[in-house]
Amino acid sequence: MMPAVIQDNLDYLLWGNLAGGEPGGLLLTLLLSLAAALLASLLGLALGIAQLMGGAALRRMLTAITAVLRAIPVLMLIFWCYFLLPLLFGVDIPGLLTVILALALIHSAYLGQAVLAGLTAVGRGQWHAGLALGFSRWQTLRWLILPQALRIMLPSFINQWVSLLKDSSLAYIVGVAEFTFVATQVNNREQVYPLEIFSAIAIGYLLLCGLLQLAGHLAERRWRRTA
């Protein structure tokens, strides 16, 4: 049986003030995480490929950038993006955009290492086979190496996406009305139901993370059947 406080505030917890054109709650958490995950995946893929295919100077530079991003706490980078970007560019950047950028930068550093590891795990014989067929290095990467490496990378990508989804809760620090933010608002208004409210938040994140992991397992099983 759903607690009365959750029933009374369910719409607000799920999608915030969507009727007023301001999505929030669980819906905004999902949209925020999807945008950040997509950007992080593209950046991570580019980072891993550049480290594999680039020259020594480029690899050293990218290794240093990766090390710095992996050492910065997510919360600190969110603050930096939120307060420093307007100073640097002289424009008011929305909190939602800064959170997406911060999450994408941090998680792309981890995904870049997963991409590099996946590409490296494909045997050198595959590279030799592609070159022997007349492919260039980039064509060999595109048509032979990357499709095999993606299967190796998938578990690491799923783990990182789950971590990103949970890190999206830090967006409340800069006033983004995601799931944790609206739950805190409800709790402050009701004041006497913290257990029920934050238990509902835990269940919401559990469902999202569980669905993401399930999607990863289904994709992995499908790849195994077609291999």
PDB file of all heavy atoms in Angstrom, residues 205-223:
ATOM      1  N   TYR A 205      15.176   5.336  -7.864  1.00  0.00           N
ATOM      2  CA  TYR A 205      16.514   5.137  -8.423  1.00  0.00           C
ATOM      3  C   TYR A 205      16.798   3.653  -8.653  1.00  0.00           C
ATOM      4  O   TYR A 205      17.451   3.279  -9.640  1.00  0.00           O
ATOM      5  CB  TYR A 205      17.577   5.732  -7.496  1.00  0.00           C
ATOM      6  CG  TYR A 205      17.732   7.222  -7.642  1.00  0.00           C
ATOM      7  CD1 TYR A 205      17.292   8.103  -6.654  1.00  0.00           C
ATOM      8  CD2 TYR A 205      18.310   7.769  -8.788  1.00  0.00           C
ATOM      9  CE1 TYR A 205      17.422   9.468  -6.790  1.00  0.00           C
ATOM     10  CE2 TYR A 205      18.440   9.139  -8.925  1.00  0.00           C
ATOM     11  CZ  TYR A 205      18.000   9.987  -7.925  1.00  0.00           C
ATOM     12  OH  TYR A 205      18.127  11.342  -8.076  1.00  0.00           O
ATOM     13  N   LEU A 206      16.315   2.815  -7.749  1.00  0.00           N
ATOM     14  CA  LEU A 206      16.510   1.373  -7.907  1.00  0.00           C
ATOM     15  C   LEU A 206      15.851   0.871  -9.184  1.00  0.00           C
ATOM     16  O   LEU A 206      16.428   0.070  -9.931  1.00  0.00           O
ATOM     17  CB  LEU A 206      15.945   0.638  -6.688  1.00  0.00           C
ATOM     18  CG  LEU A 206      16.053  -0.896  -6.704  1.00  0.00           C
ATOM     19  CD1 LEU A 206      17.513  -1.327  -6.744  1.00  0.00           C
ATOM     20  CD2 LEU A 206      15.349  -1.492  -5.486  1.00  0.00           C
ATOM     21  N   LEU A 207      14.637   1.355  -9.470  1.00  0.00           N
ATOM     22  CA  LEU A 207      13.938   0.944 -10.681  1.00  0.00           C
ATOM     23  C   LEU A 207      14.669   1.413 -11.933  1.00  0.00           C
ATOM     24  O   LEU A 207      14.834   0.643 -12.900  1.00  0.00           O
ATOM     25  CB  LEU A 207      12.505   1.486 -10.669  1.00  0.00           C
ATOM     26  CG  LEU A 207      11.551   0.833  -9.665  1.00  0.00           C
ATOM     27  CD1 LEU A 207      10.207   1.561  -9.666  1.00  0.00           C
ATOM     28  CD2 LEU A 207      11.359  -0.643  -9.981  1.00  0.00           C
ATOM     29  N   LEU A 208      15.111   2.666 -11.944  1.00  0.00           N
ATOM     30  CA  LEU A 208      15.828   3.187 -13.104  1.00  0.00           C
ATOM     31  C   LEU A 208      17.122   2.423 -13.353  1.00  0.00           C
ATOM     32  O   LEU A 208      17.425   2.024 -14.479  1.00  0.00           O
ATOM     33  CB  LEU A 208      16.127   4.677 -12.921  1.00  0.00           C
ATOM     34  CG  LEU A 208      14.949   5.645 -13.029  1.00  0.00           C
ATOM     35  CD1 LEU A 208      15.415   7.077 -12.827  1.00  0.00           C
ATOM     36  CD2 LEU A 208      14.250   5.507 -14.380  1.00  0.00           C
ATOM     37  N   CYS A 209      17.892   2.212 -12.293  1.00  0.00           N
ATOM     38  CA  CYS A 209      19.154   1.489 -12.439  1.00  0.00           C
ATOM     39  C   CYS A 209      18.903   0.036 -12.841  1.00  0.00           C
ATOM     40  O   CYS A 209      19.650  -0.525 -13.654  1.00  0.00           O
ATOM     41  CB  CYS A 209      19.947   1.542 -11.129  1.00  0.00           C
ATOM     42  SG  CYS A 209      20.559   3.195 -10.699  1.00  0.00           S
ATOM     43  N   GLY A 210      17.855  -0.562 -12.270  1.00  0.00           N
ATOM     44  CA  GLY A 210      17.537  -1.937 -12.628  1.00  0.00           C
ATOM     45  C   GLY A 210      17.137  -2.076 -14.087  1.00  0.00           C
ATOM     46  O   GLY A 210      17.555  -3.022 -14.770  1.00  0.00           O
ATOM     47  N   LEU A 211      16.340  -1.133 -14.593  1.00  0.00           N
ATOM     48  CA  LEU A 211      15.950  -1.168 -16.006  1.00  0.00           C
ATOM     49  C   LEU A 211      17.151  -0.987 -16.923  1.00  0.00           C
ATOM     50  O   LEU A 211      17.249  -1.629 -17.975  1.00  0.00           O
ATOM     51  CB  LEU A 211      14.907  -0.068 -16.274  1.00  0.00           C
ATOM     52  CG  LEU A 211      13.517  -0.305 -15.694  1.00  0.00           C
ATOM     53  CD1 LEU A 211      12.645   0.931 -15.899  1.00  0.00           C
ATOM     54  CD2 LEU A 211      12.865  -1.533 -16.324  1.00  0.00           C
ATOM     55  N   LEU A 212      18.070  -0.128 -16.529  1.00  0.00           N
ATOM     56  CA  LEU A 212      19.279   0.087 -17.328  1.00  0.00           C
ATOM     57  C   LEU A 212      20.134  -1.177 -17.378  1.00  0.00           C
ATOM     58  O   LEU A 212      20.631  -1.569 -18.438  1.00  0.00           O
ATOM     59  CB  LEU A 212      20.077   1.257 -16.737  1.00  0.00           C
ATOM     60  CG  LEU A 212      21.333   1.696 -17.491  1.00  0.00           C
ATOM     61  CD1 LEU A 212      21.019   1.993 -18.946  1.00  0.00           C
ATOM     62  CD2 LEU A 212      21.938   2.921 -16.817  1.00  0.00           C
ATOM     63  N   GLN A 213      20.289  -1.825 -16.236  1.00  0.00           N
ATOM     64  CA  GLN A 213      21.058  -3.071 -16.208  1.00  0.00           C
ATOM     65  C   GLN A 213      20.358  -4.169 -16.999  1.00  0.00           C
ATOM     66  O   GLN A 213      21.010  -4.961 -17.687  1.00  0.00           O
ATOM     67  CB  GLN A 213      21.265  -3.512 -14.763  1.00  0.00           C
ATOM     68  CG  GLN A 213      22.163  -2.571 -13.959  1.00  0.00           C
ATOM     69  CD  GLN A 213      22.361  -3.041 -12.535  1.00  0.00           C
ATOM     70  OE1 GLN A 213      22.973  -4.071 -12.284  1.00  0.00           O
ATOM     71  NE2 GLN A 213      21.828  -2.288 -11.579  1.00  0.00           N
ATOM     72  N   LEU A 214      19.042  -4.223 -16.918  1.00  0.00           N
ATOM     73  CA  LEU A 214      18.292  -5.213 -17.687  1.00  0.00           C
ATOM     74  C   LEU A 214      18.480  -4.997 -19.184  1.00  0.00           C
ATOM     75  O   LEU A 214      18.668  -5.959 -19.947  1.00  0.00           O
ATOM     76  CB  LEU A 214      16.811  -5.133 -17.320  1.00  0.00           C
ATOM     77  CG  LEU A 214      15.872  -6.070 -18.101  1.00  0.00           C
ATOM     78  CD1 LEU A 214      16.247  -7.523 -17.869  1.00  0.00           C
ATOM     79  CD2 LEU A 214      14.416  -5.812 -17.709  1.00  0.00           C
ATOM     80  N   ALA A 215      18.428  -3.729 -19.618  1.00  0.00           N
ATOM     81  CA  ALA A 215      18.646  -3.422 -21.031  1.00  0.00           C
ATOM     82  C   ALA A 215      20.038  -3.871 -21.474  1.00  0.00           C
ATOM     83  O   ALA A 215      20.219  -4.395 -22.582  1.00  0.00           O
ATOM     84  CB  ALA A 215      18.467  -1.924 -21.276  1.00  0.00           C
ATOM     85  N   GLY A 216      21.026  -3.675 -20.598  1.00  0.00           N
ATOM     86  CA  GLY A 216      22.377  -4.115 -20.923  1.00  0.00           C
ATOM     87  C   GLY A 216      22.466  -5.621 -21.048  1.00  0.00           C
ATOM     88  O   GLY A 216      23.119  -6.140 -21.976  1.00  0.00           O
ATOM     89  N   HIS A 217      21.821  -6.358 -20.149  1.00  0.00           N
ATOM     90  CA  HIS A 217      21.823  -7.829 -20.207  1.00  0.00           C
ATOM     91  C   HIS A 217      21.131  -8.330 -21.474  1.00  0.00           C
ATOM     92  O   HIS A 217      21.606  -9.275 -22.127  1.00  0.00           O
ATOM     93  CB  HIS A 217      21.150  -8.406 -18.975  1.00  0.00           C
ATOM     94  CG  HIS A 217      21.933  -8.253 -17.710  1.00  0.00           C
ATOM     95  ND1 HIS A 217      23.286  -8.533 -17.624  1.00  0.00           N
ATOM     96  CD2 HIS A 217      21.559  -7.855 -16.467  1.00  0.00           C
ATOM     97  CE1 HIS A 217      23.707  -8.308 -16.395  1.00  0.00           C
ATOM     98  NE2 HIS A 217      22.685  -7.885 -15.671  1.00  0.00           N
ATOM     99  N   LEU A 218      20.012  -7.698 -21.839  1.00  0.00           N
ATOM    100  CA  LEU A 218      19.304  -8.106 -23.043  1.00  0.00           C
ATOM    101  C   LEU A 218      20.139  -7.854 -24.292  1.00  0.00           C
ATOM    102  O   LEU A 218      20.167  -8.689 -25.213  1.00  0.00           O
ATOM    103  CB  LEU A 218      17.968  -7.363 -23.143  1.00  0.00           C
ATOM    104  CG  LEU A 218      16.919  -7.724 -22.079  1.00  0.00           C
ATOM    105  CD1 LEU A 218      15.685  -6.849 -22.230  1.00  0.00           C
ATOM    106  CD2 LEU A 218      16.545  -9.202 -22.163  1.00  0.00           C
ATOM    107  N   ALA A 219      20.816  -6.702 -24.327  1.00  0.00           N
ATOM    108  CA  ALA A 219      21.676  -6.401 -25.470  1.00  0.00           C
ATOM    109  C   ALA A 219      22.832  -7.393 -25.563  1.00  0.00           C
ATOM    110  O   ALA A 219      23.198  -7.854 -26.652  1.00  0.00           O
ATOM    111  CB  ALA A 219      22.209  -4.975 -25.356  1.00  0.00           C
ATOM    112  N   GLU A 220      23.396  -7.743 -24.415  1.00  0.00           N
ATOM    113  CA  GLU A 220      24.502  -8.697 -24.402  1.00  0.00           C
ATOM    114  C   GLU A 220      24.043 -10.072 -24.884  1.00  0.00           C
ATOM    115  O   GLU A 220      24.744 -10.734 -25.661  1.00  0.00           O
ATOM    116  CB  GLU A 220      25.083  -8.793 -22.997  1.00  0.00           C
ATOM    117  CG  GLU A 220      26.346  -9.620 -22.910  1.00  0.00           C
ATOM    118  CD  GLU A 220      26.960  -9.581 -21.524  1.00  0.00           C
ATOM    119  OE1 GLU A 220      26.307  -9.058 -20.593  1.00  0.00           O
ATOM    120  OE2 GLU A 220      28.074 -10.098 -21.378  1.00  0.00           O
ATOM    121  N   ARG A 221      22.875 -10.521 -24.441  1.00  0.00           N
ATOM    122  CA  ARG A 221      22.350 -11.819 -24.878  1.00  0.00           C
ATOM    123  C   ARG A 221      22.060 -11.821 -26.374  1.00  0.00           C
ATOM    124  O   ARG A 221      22.313 -12.818 -27.070  1.00  0.00           O
ATOM    125  CB  ARG A 221      21.079 -12.150 -24.092  1.00  0.00           C
ATOM    126  CG  ARG A 221      21.313 -12.515 -22.640  1.00  0.00           C
ATOM    127  CD  ARG A 221      20.012 -12.716 -21.897  1.00  0.00           C
ATOM    128  NE  ARG A 221      19.201 -13.751 -22.515  1.00  0.00           N
ATOM    129  CZ  ARG A 221      17.956 -14.049 -22.148  1.00  0.00           C
ATOM    130  NH1 ARG A 221      17.391 -13.368 -21.140  1.00  0.00           N
ATOM    131  NH2 ARG A 221      17.285 -14.996 -22.747  1.00  0.00           N
ATOM    132  N   ARG A 222      21.556 -10.702 -26.875  1.00  0.00           N
ATOM    133  CA  ARG A 222      21.256 -10.625 -28.312  1.00  0.00           C
ATOM    134  C   ARG A 222      22.540 -10.688 -29.130  1.00  0.00           C
ATOM    135  O   ARG A 222      22.604 -11.366 -30.156  1.00  0.00           O
ATOM    136  CB  ARG A 222      20.503  -9.329 -28.615  1.00  0.00           C
ATOM    137  CG  ARG A 222      20.111  -9.183 -30.075  1.00  0.00           C
ATOM    138  CD  ARG A 222      19.278  -7.936 -30.307  1.00  0.00           C
ATOM    139  NE  ARG A 222      18.911  -7.802 -31.703  1.00  0.00           N
ATOM    140  CZ  ARG A 222      18.200  -6.805 -32.207  1.00  0.00           C
ATOM    141  NH1 ARG A 222      17.767  -5.851 -31.378  1.00  0.00           N
ATOM    142  NH2 ARG A 222      17.931  -6.742 -33.484  1.00  0.00           N
ATOM    143  N   TRP A 223      23.592  -9.998 -28.661  1.00  0.00           N
ATOM    144  CA  TRP A 223      24.870 -10.047 -29.357  1.00  0.00           C
ATOM    145  C   TRP A 223      25.444 -11.454 -29.351  1.00  0.00           C
ATOM    146  O   TRP A 223      26.054 -11.899 -30.308  1.00  0.00           O
ATOM    147  CB  TRP A 223      25.847  -9.067 -28.708  1.00  0.00           C
ATOM    148  CG  TRP A 223      25.793  -7.719 -29.348  1.00  0.00           C
ATOM    149  CD1 TRP A 223      25.218  -7.389 -30.541  1.00  0.00           C
ATOM    150  CD2 TRP A 223      26.333  -6.500 -28.832  1.00  0.00           C
ATOM    151  NE1 TRP A 223      25.362  -6.045 -30.789  1.00  0.00           N
ATOM    152  CE2 TRP A 223      26.034  -5.473 -29.767  1.00  0.00           C
ATOM    153  CE3 TRP A 223      27.022  -6.185 -27.672  1.00  0.00           C
ATOM    154  CZ2 TRP A 223      26.431  -4.168 -29.592  1.00  0.00           C
ATOM    155  CZ3 TRP A 223      27.423  -4.866 -27.475  1.00  0.00           C
ATOM    156  CH2 TRP A 223      27.135  -3.865 -28.428  1.00  0.00           C
TER     157      TRP A 223
END
